[in-house]
Amino acid sequence: MSDKRFYGLQAPLTVRTAALATGAALVHGNDTLNLRDVAALEMAGSDEITFARGARHLKGLSSLSAGLCFCTKDLKDTLIALGTQAVAVCPRPDEAFNTLASQLVLPRQAHFTETSISPDAHLGKNVQIGAGACIGPDAHIGDGSIIGPSAVIGPGCVLGQYCVIGAGAVIGFTIMGDAVDIRPGAVLGEAGLGVVSGELGIVSTAHFGIVHLGDAVRIGANSTVDRAVFGQTRIGARSKLDNLVQISHNVQIGDDCVLASFCGIAGSSILGNDVMMGGRAGVADHIKVGTGVRIAAAAAVMKNIPAGEVWGGHPARPLRRYMREQIALRDLAAKKGASE
Amino acid sequence: MSDKRFYGLQAPLTVRTAALATGAALVHGNDTLNLRDVAALEMAGSDEITFARGARHLKGLSSLSAGLCFCTKDLKDTLIALGTQAVAVCPRPDEAFNTLASQLVLPRQAHFTETSISPDAHLGKNVQIGAGACIGPDAHIGDGSIIGPSAVIGPGCVLGQYCVIGAGAVIGFTIMGDAVDIRPGAVLGEAGLGVVSGELGIVSTAHFGIVHLGDAVRIGANSTVDRAVFGQTRIGARSKLDNLVQISHNVQIGDDCVLASFCGIAGSSILGNDVMMGGRAGVADHIKVGTGVRIAAAAAVMKNIPAGEVWGGHPARPLRRYMREQIALRDLAAKKGASE
Amino acid sequence: MSDKRFYGLQAPLTVRTAALATGAALVHGNDTLNLRDVAALEMAGSDEITFARGARHLKGLSSLSAGLCFCTKDLKDTLIALGTQAVAVCPRPDEAFNTLASQLVLPRQAHFTETSISPDAHLGKNVQIGAGACIGPDAHIGDGSIIGPSAVIGPGCVLGQYCVIGAGAVIGFTIMGDAVDIRPGAVLGEAGLGVVSGELGIVSTAHFGIVHLGDAVRIGANSTVDRAVFGQTRIGARSKLDNLVQISHNVQIGDDCVLASFCGIAGSSILGNDVMMGGRAGVADHIKVGTGVRIAAAAAVMKNIPAGEVWGGHPARPLRRYMREQIALRDLAAKKGASE
């Protein structure tokens, strides 16, 4: 279900129309069923469109209630067995979904052509707004918050009390707590990088989610936090991100984490509480990093890390192992040099 | 030849004046020849100034027609033999060229001191311009394009139809196709990093080229794409760049490429079509990456990669070899630990 | 001592009040002494508050004259012996200092709510200011300087002659020489990432320093330079930084250095003159890099590098050693493959 503060629904369409519009073959379900919204497969309700990415995507699911699911032929029986209301088969379900969903659910946008501060924005007490800042309709700015010059707060965004938004920061599709500190030039809530291959080349993946920041989160200058494809990209309370950090769609960061400059977390990865990452450390997509983990600077994390461990290297492994290996390599090369 | 939409020529100067102004020794050519413009060595015409970087720069060239070429002493005979109209010898040809060229060819600039939208800008139908955006003289904005608040479109830039320019994006010296998607904070068309050593320390290399983006290109938030020194930095149709990506001067990227966050392509490197690069992958300068290549996250590419290969590591090598080496290293360190 | 162009002092407080406010135990000194300002331990005068980070922090010091120093119990005797006027003991001296200092010394801020160019700004001759730019009170803009549209120059900043500030750049707490070139989207003078752990989780470290840029420095698009905790973050004359570079608090960069894209220098590290760093090279905190050092692209420097050396790799070591090790590793894996 998309968040109605940020997304507007178009007129609903029937399962039959959805299949026809995408050229998919309806192999199961009541074709007069009305579809109103979109959601991730495991979250989709009976009036929502979704798609299945592959057999692994279905692993571990015990029931589904999606209104219409696009899938490849091999998945249809499983989807029907799991309870999907209607199933449509096509060679590229992600493309079919992407095209249809983009027409059914529209992100709210403000172009600020006439006025920079919408008369429908809600400004708390003692809010200070810098020259040239833009605030969209239905945005809520908490008491005592400060919006820097030329910053942009998109439609529907919610800022708690005493937030500080730096000059030129661009915030969209975002809900944040109190005392959040966004440094200049940070960009929050853009659609992440995702592509869908179609007949005419690649197109960008449509996004239907938001960004959620806990109290006292700090986002450094020129850092970027993408909104989720579905649901929320989340950063927990008091977590501090340095300058030039990238947080991809659907990432979940716990409380009290510290990420130094150039850290990057790829899509859907999860960090527990109290994780510390040195500069330029990266985490690949769909990785879990446990509570209290320390990741050395310049590490490239490509596996899950259990709670409390210290990892480093490229690819990252336990830091002591990495250091032993570097010593072994040095000795190997020295021995070889000596014997030549 | 510099693109007249972006560069203005000053009064021409003679070969004699050019030599005198830089203190170079004219060793060949008609000293009354008029010089009007600048170009790369291999492209320079008979009224253009250029310079030779070194012996390797001349390798493989069969003829030249530059008006005046600055070079070191050892290259003069080759340059004359290749057909260069006039040749001037000096110890630092790049510095002589840089100084002279900066005076002969001036980048067009708009400071937007009086008005933010130039009366000489060409706006298509249904163009939407956000509060505080600036559009320079002779810029062309295609029908249906949207310019975000506080974005800047420099003089002479061309945007196709249905382009979207995010808030605070800064675009200069750029020609783009239709449906190009520039996210907030991206900066296109700045001079790249290049330095010329002179008597008084280093100075920045002057740039005389532009940026060219194909249809449906996507540039992520806070990414940067530098213009060429000569000619064009190019990104092919439908290629998608994530946030915080750096594309250096004179890079050529094919169609349908996907570059994740923190990817960087150094000067003059070439990517074929359908190249995919994981997060934080880098390509050194003057490298060729073939069609369909996959580059793993955090790879540092320092050699050409043939079409269709999959590379990773630091420095990058074929991914399977990289993985075998990591296993060998792990085993070596484990054995060593056991024997101690 | 904080720079009065950027920081305002509140009413002074006594040693007694300082101890009471933080719950620290006053173990030495005249409790009626007045405290007016803050400073780093080794620089603090008799009316200034400071703190000691640990035993290593005191190594090599021969005398101190701080007004009040917060410390842990084990350090008190040494601090008293070194001449500290008053000493207060508590379990988290950094937190006690951070809380108290933030109340005593306030950074000057301008929110630009009423006017974008302060009537108290000092503009030189032929200064050009783009649409939507903001200039704070007591800022000095030198003759012939150009401020891009939507750029922000904070209170008290000093720009020399013929500086160019790109569109949307945000400059605070910064003193710069002549002919400085700041590209669009760069952010200078923000507080760096530092955290202090307290009872309720982590909080950001307060900063009391500035940024100093020499003549003809160039800062690339979307790069970030943090101000010092105490004193100055410095970049020497003519040094050129590419796009998307991060310079952390208290870094000292010499003259004529060149840092390519994605370079990052962590807190308090020092680079000599004429250092060149390839793209994505990083230097850990508190490292010294000698004059004329060359650092290869993608290197991760974690040790001091003597003048004139060439290093590379991850972690960085002398480049020739790194290359020999890569060859040894390749041979090891090949031999192993052959024997299987």
Side-chain angles (χ1 to χ4, degrees):
Chain A
M1 194 175 66
S2 55
D3 188 320
K4 297 310 167 298
R5 290 172 288 194
F6 300 106
Y7 294 91
L9 305 185
Q10 302 301 98
L13 44 79
T14 61
V15 164
R16 179 180 150 82
T17 308
L20 283 173
T22 55
L26 191 66
V27 296
H28 169 75
N30 174 356
D31 70 359
T32 64
L33 194 72
N34 267 322
L35 302 167
R36 297 169 201 281
D37 205 341
V38 301
L41 177 64
E42 55 277 27
M43 305 293 287
S46 63
D47 62 349
E48 293 180 327
I49 301 177
T50 191
F51 72 105
R53 261 191 302 272
R56 285 184 66 176
H57 195 172
L58 302 183
K59 240 177 88 175
L61 296 176
S62 57
S63 77
L64 290 172
S65 54
L68 172 63
C69 182
F70 290 100
C71 66
T72 47
K73 211 168 148 187
D74 55 313
L75 303 181
K76 74 176 165 50
D77 294 337
T78 310
L79 284 164
I80 294 167
L82 284 168
T84 315
Q85 311 284 315
V87 175
V89 166
C90 59
R92 283 192 287 259
D94 58 346
E95 185 196 12
F97 172 81
N98 204 55
T99 305
L100 200 66
S102 305
Q103 293 165 12
L104 188 61
V105 180
L106 298 189
R108 286 184 67 184
Q109 295 184 308
H111 299 318
F112 302 104
T113 50
E114 303 288 312
T115 177
S116 55
I117 301 181
S118 167
D120 297 325
H122 303 266
L123 307 183
K125 291 175 202 156
N126 299 318
V127 165
Q128 304 199 49
I129 301 178
C134 292
I135 303 182
D138 301 317
H140 286 69
I141 313 294
D143 298 349
S145 286
I146 300 169
I147 313 297
S150 300
V152 178
I153 311 293
C157 286
V158 177
L159 280 67
Q161 299 185 337
Y162 299 100
C163 291
V164 177
I165 309 299
V170 179
I171 319 279
F173 302 90
T174 297
I175 306 288
M176 63 180 81
D178 297 331
V180 170
D181 180 12
I182 311 285
R183 303 284 88 206
V187 178
L188 278 67
E190 292 295 311
L193 183 79
V195 296
V196 172
S197 294
E199 302 242 328
L200 302 171
I202 57 177
V203 298
S204 295
T205 304
H207 280 58
F208 304 99
I210 71 169
V211 170
H212 186 282
L213 307 180
D215 293 336
V217 163
R218 187 251 200 211
I219 307 287
N222 289 343
S223 288
T224 53
V225 181
D226 291 333
R227 70 183 193 262
V229 177
F230 303 111
Q232 304 187 345
T233 301
R234 292 180 71 93
I235 301 180
R238 294 172 305 281
S239 286
K240 311 293 185 200
L241 277 57
D242 204 347
N243 303 331
L244 297 166
V245 166
Q246 153 72 9
I247 306 299
S248 298
H249 43 208
N250 293 82
V251 164
Q252 314 289 313
I253 296 179
D255 298 341
D256 295 297
C257 292
V258 179
L259 278 63
S261 284
F262 294 121
C263 278
I265 315 289
S268 302
S269 285
I270 300 174
L271 275 63
N273 298 334
D274 300 302
V275 171
M276 298 195 67
M277 295 177 62
R280 207 186 300 281
V283 175
D285 59 295
H286 293 88
I287 296 290
K288 288 183 188 168
V289 175
T291 297
V293 164
R294 299 288 175 268
I295 300 174
V301 177
M302 297 174 181
K303 289 181 182 173
N304 295 344
I305 306 183
E309 299 203 352
V310 182
W311 282 41
H314 175 297
R317 54 267 206 192
L319 189 63
R320 295 182 62 173
R321 198 189 111 197
Y322 170 64
M323 292 171 76
R324 273 198 310 268
E325 290 175 4
Q326 293 302 312
I327 291 167
L329 177 57
R330 190 194 58 193
D331 293 350
L332 173 72
K335 199 162 57 177
K336 202 180 151 186
S339 74
E340 275 168 8
Chain B
M1 194 176 66
S2 55
D3 188 321
K4 296 310 167 298
R5 292 173 287 194
F6 300 106
Y7 295 90
L9 305 185
Q10 302 300 99
L13 43 79
T14 61
V15 163
R16 180 181 148 80
T17 308
L20 283 173
T22 55
L26 191 65
V27 296
H28 169 76
N30 173 355
D31 70 359
T32 64
L33 194 73
N34 266 322
L35 302 166
R36 297 170 201 281
D37 205 341
V38 301
L41 175 65
E42 55 277 25
M43 306 293 289
S46 63
D47 62 350
E48 294 179 326
I49 302 177
T50 191
F51 72 105
R53 260 191 302 272
R56 287 184 64 176
H57 195 173
L58 303 184
K59 240 177 86 175
L61 297 176
S62 57
S63 78
L64 290 172
S65 54
L68 172 64
C69 183
F70 290 100
C71 67
T72 47
K73 209 168 150 189
D74 54 314
L75 303 182
K76 75 175 164 48
D77 293 336
T78 310
L79 284 164
I80 293 166
L82 285 168
T84 314
Q85 311 284 315
V87 174
V89 165
C90 58
R92 283 193 286 260
D94 57 346
E95 186 195 12
F97 172 82
N98 203 55
T99 305
L100 200 66
S102 305
Q103 293 164 13
L104 187 62
V105 181
L106 297 188
R108 287 184 66 184
Q109 294 185 309
H111 299 318
F112 303 104
T113 50
E114 302 288 310
T115 176
S116 54
I117 301 181
S118 167
D120 297 325
H122 304 266
L123 308 182
K125 291 176 203 157
N126 300 318
V127 165
Q128 304 200 50
I129 301 176
C134 293
I135 303 183
D138 301 316
H140 285 71
I141 313 293
D143 298 348
S145 287
I146 299 169
I147 312 297
S150 300
V152 178
I153 311 293
C157 286
V158 177
L159 281 65
Q161 298 185 338
Y162 299 101
C163 292
V164 177
I165 309 299
V170 179
I171 320 279
F173 302 88
T174 298
I175 306 287
M176 63 179 83
D178 297 332
V180 170
D181 180 14
I182 310 285
R183 303 284 89 205
V187 177
L188 278 68
E190 293 295 312
L193 183 79
V195 296
V196 172
S197 294
E199 301 243 327
L200 302 170
I202 58 176
V203 299
S204 295
T205 305
H207 280 58
F208 304 99
I210 70 168
V211 170
H212 186 283
L213 307 179
D215 293 336
V217 163
R218 188 250 201 211
I219 306 288
N222 288 343
S223 288
T224 53
V225 181
D226 292 333
R227 71 183 193 263
V229 177
F230 303 112
Q232 303 188 346
T233 301
R234 292 181 69 92
I235 302 181
R238 295 172 304 282
S239 285
K240 312 293 184 199
L241 277 58
D242 204 349
N243 304 331
L244 296 167
V245 166
Q246 153 73 5
I247 306 298
S248 298
H249 42 208
N250 292 82
V251 164
Q252 313 288 313
I253 296 179
D255 298 340
D256 295 297
C257 293
V258 179
L259 278 63
S261 285
F262 294 121
C263 277
I265 314 290
S268 302
S269 286
I270 300 175
L271 274 61
N273 298 334
D274 300 303
V275 171
M276 298 193 67
M277 295 176 61
R280 206 186 300 281
V283 175
D285 59 295
H286 294 87
I287 295 290
K288 287 182 189 168
V289 175
T291 297
V293 164
R294 301 287 175 268
I295 299 174
V301 177
M302 297 175 182
K303 289 180 182 172
N304 295 345
I305 306 183
E309 299 202 352
V310 181
W311 282 42
H314 175 296
R317 52 264 207 194
L319 189 63
R320 294 181 62 173
R321 198 189 111 197
Y322 170 64
M323 290 170 76
R324 273 199 310 269
E325 290 175 5
Q326 293 301 313
I327 291 168
L329 177 57
R330 190 195 57 193
D331 294 349
L332 173 73
K335 200 162 59 180
K336 201 181 153 186
S339 75
E340 276 169 5
Chain C
M1 194 176 66
S2 54
D3 188 320
K4 297 310 168 297
R5 291 173 288 194
F6 300 107
Y7 295 91
L9 305 184
Q10 302 301 99
L13 44 79
T14 61
V15 163
R16 177 181 151 79
T17 308
L20 283 174
T22 55
L26 190 65
V27 296
H28 170 75
N30 173 356
D31 69 0
T32 64
L33 193 73
N34 266 322
L35 303 167
R36 298 169 201 282
D37 205 342
V38 301
L41 176 64
E42 55 277 27
M43 305 292 288
S46 63
D47 61 350
E48 293 179 327
I49 302 177
T50 191
F51 71 105
R53 261 191 303 272
R56 288 184 64 179
H57 195 173
L58 303 184
K59 241 177 87 175
L61 296 175
S62 57
S63 76
L64 289 173
S65 55
L68 172 64
C69 182
F70 290 99
C71 66
T72 47
K73 209 168 151 186
D74 54 313
L75 303 181
K76 73 175 166 51
D77 293 336
T78 310
L79 284 164
I80 293 166
L82 285 167
T84 315
Q85 312 283 316
V87 174
V89 166
C90 59
R92 281 192 288 260
D94 58 345
E95 186 197 12
F97 172 81
N98 204 54
T99 304
L100 199 67
S102 305
Q103 292 164 12
L104 187 63
V105 181
L106 297 189
R108 285 184 68 184
Q109 294 185 309
H111 300 318
F112 303 104
T113 51
E114 303 287 312
T115 177
S116 54
I117 301 180
S118 167
D120 297 325
H122 305 265
L123 308 183
K125 290 175 203 156
N126 299 318
V127 166
Q128 305 199 50
I129 301 177
C134 293
I135 303 182
D138 300 316
H140 286 69
I141 314 293
D143 297 350
S145 287
I146 300 169
I147 313 297
S150 301
V152 178
I153 311 293
C157 286
V158 177
L159 280 67
Q161 298 186 340
Y162 299 100
C163 292
V164 177
I165 309 298
V170 179
I171 319 279
F173 301 89
T174 298
I175 307 288
M176 62 179 84
D178 296 332
V180 170
D181 180 13
I182 311 284
R183 302 286 87 206
V187 178
L188 278 69
E190 293 294 313
L193 183 78
V195 295
V196 172
S197 294
E199 302 243 327
L200 302 170
I202 57 177
V203 299
S204 295
T205 305
H207 280 58
F208 304 99
I210 71 169
V211 170
H212 186 282
L213 307 180
D215 292 337
V217 162
R218 188 249 201 211
I219 307 288
N222 289 343
S223 288
T224 52
V225 181
D226 292 332
R227 71 183 193 263
V229 176
F230 303 111
Q232 303 187 346
T233 301
R234 292 181 70 91
I235 301 181
R238 294 172 304 282
S239 285
K240 311 294 184 198
L241 277 56
D242 204 348
N243 303 331
L244 297 166
V245 166
Q246 154 73 7
I247 305 299
S248 298
H249 41 209
N250 292 82
V251 164
Q252 313 288 313
I253 296 180
D255 297 342
D256 295 296
C257 293
V258 179
L259 278 62
S261 285
F262 295 122
C263 278
I265 314 290
S268 301
S269 285
I270 300 174
L271 274 62
N273 298 334
D274 299 303
V275 171
M276 298 193 66
M277 295 177 61
R280 207 187 299 283
V283 174
D285 58 295
H286 294 88
I287 296 289
K288 287 182 189 168
V289 175
T291 297
V293 164
R294 299 288 175 268
I295 300 174
V301 177
M302 297 174 181
K303 288 181 183 174
N304 295 345
I305 306 183
E309 299 204 351
V310 181
W311 282 42
H314 175 295
R317 53 265 207 192
L319 189 62
R320 294 181 61 173
R321 197 189 112 197
Y322 170 64
M323 291 170 77
R324 274 199 309 267
E325 290 175 4
Q326 293 301 313
I327 291 168
L329 177 58
R330 190 195 57 192
D331 293 350
L332 173 73
K335 199 162 58 178
K336 201 181 155 189
S339 74
E340 276 168 8

